Amino acid sequence: MLQKFFATGLTMACFSVASAQEAAPTEEKKSTTTISGNADVYYRYNFDKPQGGDAGYNNFTSFTNSHNSFRLGMASLKVEHTSGKVGVVADLGFGTRAEEFAYTDDGLLSAVKQLYVTYAPTDWLKFSAGTWGTHVGYEVLDPYLNRNYSMSYMFSNGPFGHTGLKAEVTKGKHSFMLGVANPTDYRIVPEGQINRKFLLAQYSLAASDAVKLFVNYVGGKAPDSSKSNQVDVVVTGQVSDKFSIGFNGTYTSTKLWDTDKKESGDAKAWWGSAVYLSVDPKPWFGLTLRGEYFNDDDALKPFAPIGIGGSIFASTLSANFKLDNFTVIPEFRLDNASEEIFLDKDLKGKKSTASFLLAVVYSF
């Protein structure tokens, strides 16, 4: 009798445990998906009336290489999905901007602006693997995120993006990023070329809600047998609800390597700095003045087909008229160079040129 009692009790206990396990609620993974995008068109007029073709359009920055012509910029679609601690970002672009941004790629791959997966084991640590836009610089590819439509010389001379693996750590006001990637701007390194990895790093400080500091680094050996190191600093400040200021300074040192994998010659460098002053007197209207100095005396990034170096000071004044998701950007730009890198309508060299641009940007 006692044995039957214990057997019955044991059976009921096991049944109770099994029932409790079946009834126990399971933790649901939070899943979110967001879709965003933007599109832009522009018209540019250079007052020197350049001939185009091999003569160029008096333009040595990205995405606005035209004269007296309406042009399509880029149509972009971005999908972001997270499920628990894992996420994926697929960012596609079609048009001139996307093609120039992915200049090392061909075919459908040139439409990929960003494509990466993330894993965040904790709220202060995140890993990312894939291809993403660079952390270097003040300006970005998507026009709706910039106050000026035309790009700076520092942006145009890169880097644009990276393909590899990075880890990001955030502790209070401080953030750190460390990564390893293919040579700058290469998703796929061509066969037979040097394929050594680049080191990526960033330190950022949110000194306050209004002031933020970013110190960026990228360096390594490129497929053209040059070894480069770039240090970049960005500072942003919100002075008031109507006035903000930004600063970007960058320095790149490059040294060539010979066939014996030894350094050859002295290091050469290019550098630049820019100040961005923005005022928003009305919610629907704002002005941004960009003043940039770019120095390339060593002719690492030649401005013209003849391969000369020198320096440039460029001033760009852009207005932003906002209507719902539309932003209309009329812009006046004046470029002054130390050398005669620009051409007049008779193909004679000159040191300065002026342009007017009108862009329409839509984002959602």
Side-chain angles (χ1 to χ4, degrees), residues 172-190:
K173 298 181 178 181
H174 306 272
S175 295
F176 303 88
M177 184 275 286
L178 191 64
V180 60
N182 289 343
T184 294
D185 296 340
Y186 280 91
R187 277 90 176 259
I188 300 174
V189 178

PDB file of all heavy atoms in Angstrom, residues 172-190:
ATOM      1  N   GLY A 172      28.713  54.975 -21.696  1.00  0.00           N
ATOM      2  CA  GLY A 172      28.384  56.340 -21.318  1.00  0.00           C
ATOM      3  C   GLY A 172      28.546  57.295 -22.483  1.00  0.00           C
ATOM      4  O   GLY A 172      27.959  57.113 -23.552  1.00  0.00           O
ATOM      5  N   LYS A 173      29.390  58.308 -22.306  1.00  0.00           N
ATOM      6  CA  LYS A 173      29.611  59.317 -23.335  1.00  0.00           C
ATOM      7  C   LYS A 173      30.667  58.904 -24.350  1.00  0.00           C
ATOM      8  O   LYS A 173      30.911  59.616 -25.328  1.00  0.00           O
ATOM      9  CB  LYS A 173      30.032  60.637 -22.692  1.00  0.00           C
ATOM     10  CG  LYS A 173      28.984  61.240 -21.758  1.00  0.00           C
ATOM     11  CD  LYS A 173      29.476  62.545 -21.178  1.00  0.00           C
ATOM     12  CE  LYS A 173      28.424  63.187 -20.275  1.00  0.00           C
ATOM     13  NZ  LYS A 173      28.887  64.478 -19.718  1.00  0.00           N
ATOM     14  N   HIS A 174      31.295  57.751 -24.123  1.00  0.00           N
ATOM     15  CA  HIS A 174      32.410  57.333 -24.961  1.00  0.00           C
ATOM     16  C   HIS A 174      32.021  56.146 -25.844  1.00  0.00           C
ATOM     17  O   HIS A 174      31.313  55.238 -25.409  1.00  0.00           O
ATOM     18  CB  HIS A 174      33.613  56.949 -24.097  1.00  0.00           C
ATOM     19  CG  HIS A 174      34.029  58.008 -23.127  1.00  0.00           C
ATOM     20  ND1 HIS A 174      34.920  58.999 -23.447  1.00  0.00           N
ATOM     21  CD2 HIS A 174      33.642  58.231 -21.842  1.00  0.00           C
ATOM     22  CE1 HIS A 174      35.090  59.795 -22.402  1.00  0.00           C
ATOM     23  NE2 HIS A 174      34.322  59.354 -21.414  1.00  0.00           N
ATOM     24  N   SER A 175      32.540  56.142 -27.072  1.00  0.00           N
ATOM     25  CA  SER A 175      32.335  55.026 -27.989  1.00  0.00           C
ATOM     26  C   SER A 175      33.648  54.715 -28.700  1.00  0.00           C
ATOM     27  O   SER A 175      34.428  55.625 -29.023  1.00  0.00           O
ATOM     28  CB  SER A 175      31.248  55.346 -29.021  1.00  0.00           C
ATOM     29  OG  SER A 175      29.990  55.513 -28.408  1.00  0.00           O
ATOM     30  N   PHE A 176      33.874  53.424 -28.928  1.00  0.00           N
ATOM     31  CA  PHE A 176      35.088  52.980 -29.609  1.00  0.00           C
ATOM     32  C   PHE A 176      34.700  52.008 -30.723  1.00  0.00           C
ATOM     33  O   PHE A 176      33.787  51.193 -30.553  1.00  0.00           O
ATOM     34  CB  PHE A 176      36.040  52.273 -28.645  1.00  0.00           C
ATOM     35  CG  PHE A 176      36.433  53.101 -27.457  1.00  0.00           C
ATOM     36  CD1 PHE A 176      35.654  53.084 -26.300  1.00  0.00           C
ATOM     37  CD2 PHE A 176      37.573  53.894 -27.481  1.00  0.00           C
ATOM     38  CE1 PHE A 176      36.007  53.840 -25.196  1.00  0.00           C
ATOM     39  CE2 PHE A 176      37.928  54.654 -26.382  1.00  0.00           C
ATOM     40  CZ  PHE A 176      37.140  54.623 -25.232  1.00  0.00           C
ATOM     41  N   MET A 177      35.404  52.103 -31.835  1.00  0.00           N
ATOM     42  CA  MET A 177      35.208  51.159 -32.925  1.00  0.00           C
ATOM     43  C   MET A 177      36.559  50.677 -33.413  1.00  0.00           C
ATOM     44  O   MET A 177      37.493  51.464 -33.575  1.00  0.00           O
ATOM     45  CB  MET A 177      34.449  51.805 -34.079  1.00  0.00           C
ATOM     46  CG  MET A 177      34.121  50.846 -35.248  1.00  0.00           C
ATOM     47  SD  MET A 177      35.473  50.681 -36.464  1.00  0.00           S
ATOM     48  CE  MET A 177      35.361  52.254 -37.297  1.00  0.00           C
ATOM     49  N   LEU A 178      36.670  49.369 -33.649  1.00  0.00           N
ATOM     50  CA  LEU A 178      37.886  48.778 -34.186  1.00  0.00           C
ATOM     51  C   LEU A 178      37.475  47.754 -35.228  1.00  0.00           C
ATOM     52  O   LEU A 178      36.574  46.940 -34.984  1.00  0.00           O
ATOM     53  CB  LEU A 178      38.706  48.110 -33.083  1.00  0.00           C
ATOM     54  CG  LEU A 178      40.126  47.677 -33.457  1.00  0.00           C
ATOM     55  CD1 LEU A 178      40.989  48.890 -33.798  1.00  0.00           C
ATOM     56  CD2 LEU A 178      40.752  46.886 -32.318  1.00  0.00           C
ATOM     57  N   GLY A 179      38.121  47.820 -36.406  1.00  0.00           N
ATOM     58  CA  GLY A 179      37.734  46.901 -37.464  1.00  0.00           C
ATOM     59  C   GLY A 179      38.879  46.532 -38.379  1.00  0.00           C
ATOM     60  O   GLY A 179      39.943  47.166 -38.367  1.00  0.00           O
ATOM     61  N   VAL A 180      38.656  45.501 -39.181  1.00  0.00           N
ATOM     62  CA  VAL A 180      39.602  45.075 -40.203  1.00  0.00           C
ATOM     63  C   VAL A 180      38.809  44.889 -41.489  1.00  0.00           C
ATOM     64  O   VAL A 180      37.687  44.362 -41.473  1.00  0.00           O
ATOM     65  CB  VAL A 180      40.329  43.776 -39.798  1.00  0.00           C
ATOM     66  CG1 VAL A 180      39.346  42.632 -39.578  1.00  0.00           C
ATOM     67  CG2 VAL A 180      41.382  43.393 -40.822  1.00  0.00           C
ATOM     68  N   ALA A 181      39.371  45.360 -42.611  1.00  0.00           N
ATOM     69  CA  ALA A 181      38.603  45.369 -43.851  1.00  0.00           C
ATOM     70  C   ALA A 181      39.511  45.183 -45.060  1.00  0.00           C
ATOM     71  O   ALA A 181      40.747  45.277 -44.960  1.00  0.00           O
ATOM     72  CB  ALA A 181      37.843  46.693 -43.983  1.00  0.00           C
ATOM     73  N   ASN A 182      38.878  44.932 -46.199  1.00  0.00           N
ATOM     74  CA  ASN A 182      39.604  44.920 -47.466  1.00  0.00           C
ATOM     75  C   ASN A 182      40.199  46.305 -47.717  1.00  0.00           C
ATOM     76  O   ASN A 182      39.811  47.274 -47.061  1.00  0.00           O
ATOM     77  CB  ASN A 182      38.661  44.570 -48.619  1.00  0.00           C
ATOM     78  CG  ASN A 182      38.231  43.116 -48.592  1.00  0.00           C
ATOM     79  OD1 ASN A 182      38.842  42.281 -47.938  1.00  0.00           O
ATOM     80  ND2 ASN A 182      37.151  42.820 -49.300  1.00  0.00           N
ATOM     81  N   PRO A 183      41.124  46.419 -48.661  1.00  0.00           N
ATOM     82  CA  PRO A 183      41.605  47.755 -49.016  1.00  0.00           C
ATOM     83  C   PRO A 183      40.447  48.707 -49.279  1.00  0.00           C
ATOM     84  O   PRO A 183      39.395  48.299 -49.767  1.00  0.00           O
ATOM     85  CB  PRO A 183      42.442  47.501 -50.278  1.00  0.00           C
ATOM     86  CG  PRO A 183      42.925  46.096 -50.125  1.00  0.00           C
ATOM     87  CD  PRO A 183      41.801  45.369 -49.449  1.00  0.00           C
ATOM     88  N   THR A 184      40.630  49.961 -48.946  1.00  0.00           N
ATOM     89  CA  THR A 184      39.565  50.965 -49.014  1.00  0.00           C
ATOM     90  C   THR A 184      38.824  50.934 -50.346  1.00  0.00           C
ATOM     91  O   THR A 184      39.439  50.942 -51.416  1.00  0.00           O
ATOM     92  CB  THR A 184      40.163  52.365 -48.793  1.00  0.00           C
ATOM     93  OG1 THR A 184      40.646  52.430 -47.443  1.00  0.00           O
ATOM     94  CG2 THR A 184      39.129  53.438 -48.995  1.00  0.00           C
ATOM     95  N   ASP A 185      37.484  50.906 -50.269  1.00  0.00           N
ATOM     96  CA  ASP A 185      36.552  50.960 -51.393  1.00  0.00           C
ATOM     97  C   ASP A 185      36.487  49.670 -52.201  1.00  0.00           C
ATOM     98  O   ASP A 185      35.733  49.605 -53.186  1.00  0.00           O
ATOM     99  CB  ASP A 185      36.876  52.126 -52.339  1.00  0.00           C
ATOM    100  CG  ASP A 185      36.714  53.481 -51.660  1.00  0.00           C
ATOM    101  OD1 ASP A 185      36.016  53.543 -50.637  1.00  0.00           O
ATOM    102  OD2 ASP A 185      37.296  54.463 -52.151  1.00  0.00           O
ATOM    103  N   TYR A 186      37.206  48.625 -51.821  1.00  0.00           N
ATOM    104  CA  TYR A 186      37.164  47.364 -52.554  1.00  0.00           C
ATOM    105  C   TYR A 186      36.270  46.358 -51.838  1.00  0.00           C
ATOM    106  O   TYR A 186      36.550  45.952 -50.718  1.00  0.00           O
ATOM    107  CB  TYR A 186      38.567  46.764 -52.710  1.00  0.00           C
ATOM    108  CG  TYR A 186      39.376  47.382 -53.819  1.00  0.00           C
ATOM    109  CD1 TYR A 186      40.206  48.471 -53.576  1.00  0.00           C
ATOM    110  CD2 TYR A 186      39.310  46.883 -55.117  1.00  0.00           C
ATOM    111  CE1 TYR A 186      40.957  49.051 -54.599  1.00  0.00           C
ATOM    112  CE2 TYR A 186      40.051  47.450 -56.139  1.00  0.00           C
ATOM    113  CZ  TYR A 186      40.878  48.529 -55.878  1.00  0.00           C
ATOM    114  OH  TYR A 186      41.612  49.098 -56.886  1.00  0.00           O
ATOM    115  N   ARG A 187      35.169  45.955 -52.501  1.00  0.00           N
ATOM    116  CA  ARG A 187      34.406  44.820 -52.010  1.00  0.00           C
ATOM    117  C   ARG A 187      35.110  43.523 -52.412  1.00  0.00           C
ATOM    118  O   ARG A 187      35.175  42.569 -51.657  1.00  0.00           O
ATOM    119  CB  ARG A 187      32.985  44.821 -52.599  1.00  0.00           C
ATOM    120  CG  ARG A 187      31.982  45.721 -51.856  1.00  0.00           C
ATOM    121  CD  ARG A 187      31.971  47.108 -52.409  1.00  0.00           C
ATOM    122  NE  ARG A 187      30.988  47.973 -51.801  1.00  0.00           N
ATOM    123  CZ  ARG A 187      29.813  48.280 -52.340  1.00  0.00           C
ATOM    124  NH1 ARG A 187      29.437  47.730 -53.481  1.00  0.00           N
ATOM    125  NH2 ARG A 187      29.004  49.131 -51.746  1.00  0.00           N
ATOM    126  N   ILE A 188      35.601  43.512 -53.661  1.00  0.00           N
ATOM    127  CA  ILE A 188      36.349  42.375 -54.183  1.00  0.00           C
ATOM    128  C   ILE A 188      37.659  42.894 -54.744  1.00  0.00           C
ATOM    129  O   ILE A 188      37.658  43.769 -55.619  1.00  0.00           O
ATOM    130  CB  ILE A 188      35.569  41.644 -55.293  1.00  0.00           C
ATOM    131  CG1 ILE A 188      34.229  41.117 -54.741  1.00  0.00           C
ATOM    132  CG2 ILE A 188      36.387  40.498 -55.865  1.00  0.00           C
ATOM    133  CD1 ILE A 188      33.343  40.510 -55.808  1.00  0.00           C
ATOM    134  N   VAL A 189      38.786  42.387 -54.265  1.00  0.00           N
ATOM    135  CA  VAL A 189      40.090  42.803 -54.773  1.00  0.00           C
ATOM    136  C   VAL A 189      40.398  41.986 -56.024  1.00  0.00           C
ATOM    137  O   VAL A 189      40.318  40.755 -56.005  1.00  0.00           O
ATOM    138  CB  VAL A 189      41.183  42.595 -53.716  1.00  0.00           C
ATOM    139  CG1 VAL A 189      42.554  42.995 -54.267  1.00  0.00           C
ATOM    140  CG2 VAL A 189      40.861  43.390 -52.459  1.00  0.00           C
ATOM    141  N   PRO A 190      40.725  42.640 -57.157  1.00  0.00           N
ATOM    142  CA  PRO A 190      41.003  41.909 -58.401  1.00  0.00           C
ATOM    143  C   PRO A 190      42.116  40.888 -58.232  1.00  0.00           C
ATOM    144  O   PRO A 190      43.062  41.092 -57.468  1.00  0.00           O
ATOM    145  CB  PRO A 190      41.412  43.025 -59.377  1.00  0.00           C
ATOM    146  CG  PRO A 190      40.790  44.263 -58.810  1.00  0.00           C
ATOM    147  CD  PRO A 190      40.825  44.094 -57.328  1.00  0.00           C
TER     148      PRO A 190
END
